[in-house]
Every structure is written in structure tokens, then in C-alpha cells.
Amino acid sequence: ATEAVNPADCVAKALELGYRFLDCAEFYANEKAVGEGIAASGVPREQLFLASKCWTTTIYDGPEAVQAQLEKTLADLGTDYLDLYCIHWPVPGRHVAAYLQLEKAQAAGQVRSLGVSNYAVQDLDELMASGATVTPSINQIEINPFLYRKETIAAFESRGVKMQSYRTLRDGKAFSDPAILATAQKHGKTAAQVLGRWCVQHGFIAIPKSVKAERMEENLDLFDFELDADDMSQLDALTTPEAISTFVGLYRKCVIRDTPLTDGIKMEITEG
């Protein structure tokens, strides 16, 4: 059994160790506790980079619901602005209106930067062709050597959208992979540090996830070594056709997750 962790304590510890970017979301249902951790830390607001995302149900419910959720997030985190606010999934027929509402919130000073999460290239195309005037600053998607979608990443980066990786450490599932372990041994580092370093060297904004202080420290310790060209090309080649196929299935399921929608899902997206 996993022992319960108080999110407020977890956040306070991360801030004490030097973390300043906190990635939140309506879906995580812990923003009030995150706010308590921030308050307890004593770290000034201007030193923090606070990000959040609105969930599919809110996106489905429309712009007023999106605005109400943003204001709840601001209250829960104890701040009057977010550094970044994202659309969590491109809900068919709904995500554009949600994003346009975020443009209004940005104009009102409630959000500094706008972003998207889990968008395919075709979702960005739809967004920008449907009246959006602010190009998303980031697209947060799963990126690690086991789901490295080069074509998608190149398309977003070519349009000035930075890539932010979640599941950077693949929830620990890659820590026993032979290629990762061999690279870790070669550099005298851990599997988690190799995965984080791979992201950093590719220029992605890596989000590590941990509730343990020693792991938080380990995940910060990426800047005293470098993966060489052989390491990078070997890790770049770990994504299988099966992994891409699994991703496509997950995308189709999650864009309508928790909503009454059954159709409108994009069946033709850039997969790799």
C-alpha cells in the first residue's frame, strides 16, 4: 500500500529544494492543498511559475464554466494571476470556444501565457483557423524515449510552440529498461536522471513527478553531465509502432473522457 502524502507538505518541500514551477490542474483535485503549500513556503509569488489546466467536463460545459474554473483555481492557489493556463484535452466541438475564453482572461490580466495539452497538429490547425489570435506558448504532451513523436514535435516547434513533457519519467515504468540502465551506468547516474537529461537536451520543458524529497533532489540533478550523440540516438530509437498505436487509442478516448460526447473525434491525426 502507498502511504498517503499531504500535497501541501509535498509542495512546501519541493519549493524548499528549489523547484519554482508547479504544474497543477482541475483534474488533479488538489489545488487548494497546493495553495496551502505555497503559503507555508514563504516563497514570494513573483519567484513562482504557476500553471494549471481545465478539464474536459469544464471545456464541454462552455466558456462561462471555463472562466468560473479559472477563478476557482486562482482562489485555491491564493493568487490573482496564473503564469500559464492550458486546455487539458482538445474536446471536439468545444475546445476552440474554451481557448477563446482564455484569450479574454489573458487580456484581463488573469493569465500571463496560454497553452494547450494533448493537442495533435490537426487540433492546433483547427484552433488557429477558428478565430484564435494568440498562438499557444506550449503544448504539454507525453514525451520520453518510449513515446517520442518526432513529426508532431517538429510541427509544433516550427510554429513557435514549445513542447512540455509530462510522464517524463514514464511513471517509473522505464527504470528497469536495459538501454536506460546501461546509459545510467555509463554516466554514473540514475535511470530517472537519464530520462530527464534526454528531455533537457532535446530542448523540451521537462516535468518530473515525485512525492519523495530524495527523488525530487535526484530529478533536479541533471546539469552536471551530458548524454553523447550515441546515447541520444539510441534513446531516440526506443519508440515502437505499438507505443504509437497505444497513444492514438488513448487520444481518441481521452478527448471525450467524462463528457456525453460520442463523435467528432479526429480519426486522422499526425501520429508520430
Side-chain angles (χ1 to χ4, degrees):
T2 309
E3 61 179 287
V5 175
N6 180 336
D9 294 343
C10 191
V11 166
K13 173 50 78 175
L15 293 173
E16 184 188 323
L17 291 171
Y19 285 91
R20 291 295 180 265
F21 169 35
L22 298 176
D23 181 55
C24 308
E26 173 188 359
F27 182 67
Y28 306 157
N30 64 1
E31 291 186 327
K32 198 158 185 52
V34 171
E36 288 165 9
I38 292 169
S41 75
V43 175
R45 171 65 183 94
E46 63 271 15
Q47 289 184 19
L48 300 174
F49 191 96
L50 300 181
S52 188
K53 303 178 279 290
C54 54
W55 186 238
T56 56
T57 46
T58 297
I59 297 162
Y60 175 82
D61 285 341
E64 287 182 9
V66 170
Q67 182 63 29
Q69 178 57 42
L70 168 59
E71 290 178 9
K72 181 178 187 305
T73 289
L74 290 171
D76 285 350
L77 293 177
T79 184
D80 56 3
Y81 73 95
L82 290 178
D83 296 281
L84 174 69
Y85 199 59
C86 298
I87 302 295
H88 208 143
W89 284 93
V91 178
R94 307 284 175 147
H95 73 98
V96 171
Y99 189 89
L100 294 178
Q101 179 61 41
L102 296 190
E103 289 192 345
K104 292 178 184 173
Q106 183 184 40
Q110 292 176 303
V111 182
R112 297 271 170 96
S113 295
L114 306 184
V116 295
S117 185
N118 301 301
Y119 270 47
V121 177
Q122 290 71 20
D123 296 314
L124 180 65
D125 289 342
E126 179 192 10
L127 180 66
M128 300 315 293
S130 302
T133 56
V134 178
T135 302
S137 56
I138 66 114
N139 183 20
Q140 187 188 111
I141 64 172
E142 178 177 346
I143 310 177
N144 53 60
F146 302 90
L147 191 62
Y148 180 33
R149 297 166 52 223
K150 298 180 197 176
E151 200 180 337
T152 293
I153 290 165
F156 275 91
E157 289 183 335
S158 73
R159 293 165 75 167
V161 182
K162 291 285 285 181
M163 301 306 291
Q164 197 174 62
S165 67
Y166 70 78
R167 293 192 86 229
T168 305
L169 307 181
R170 218 163 163 262
D171 299 338
K173 293 184 176 70
F175 290 177
S176 57
D177 180 84
I180 301 293
L181 285 176
T183 308
Q185 194 168 11
K186 170 179 167 181
H187 292 278
K189 288 290 185 177
T190 65
Q193 288 166 334
V194 166
L195 290 166
R197 182 69 204 180
W198 177 86
C199 263
V200 166
Q201 281 185 220
H202 270 303
F204 310 138
I205 301 163
I207 303 175
K209 182 170 115 182
S210 182
V211 297
K212 297 192 168 113
E214 62 272 20
R215 294 277 192 218
M216 292 180 199
E217 289 190 79
E218 177 187 325
N219 295 337
L220 277 176
D221 192 16
L222 305 178
F223 301 101
D224 61 351
F225 78 109
E226 194 166 334
L227 300 173
D228 61 35
D230 286 347
D231 297 330
M232 292 298 283
S233 61
Q234 187 181 15
L235 298 184
D236 286 357
L238 293 176
T239 299
T240 63
E242 292 77 21
I244 296 292
S245 176
T246 298
F247 151 72
V248 172
L250 191 68
Y251 168 88
R252 289 175 182 165
K253 185 173 86 173
C254 287
V255 293
I256 57 170
R257 182 177 168 184
D258 297 339
T259 77
L261 295 172
T262 55
D263 54 16
I265 301 163
K266 292 181 180 70
M267 301 308 283
E268 298 294 325
I269 62 166
T270 302
E271 298 182 357

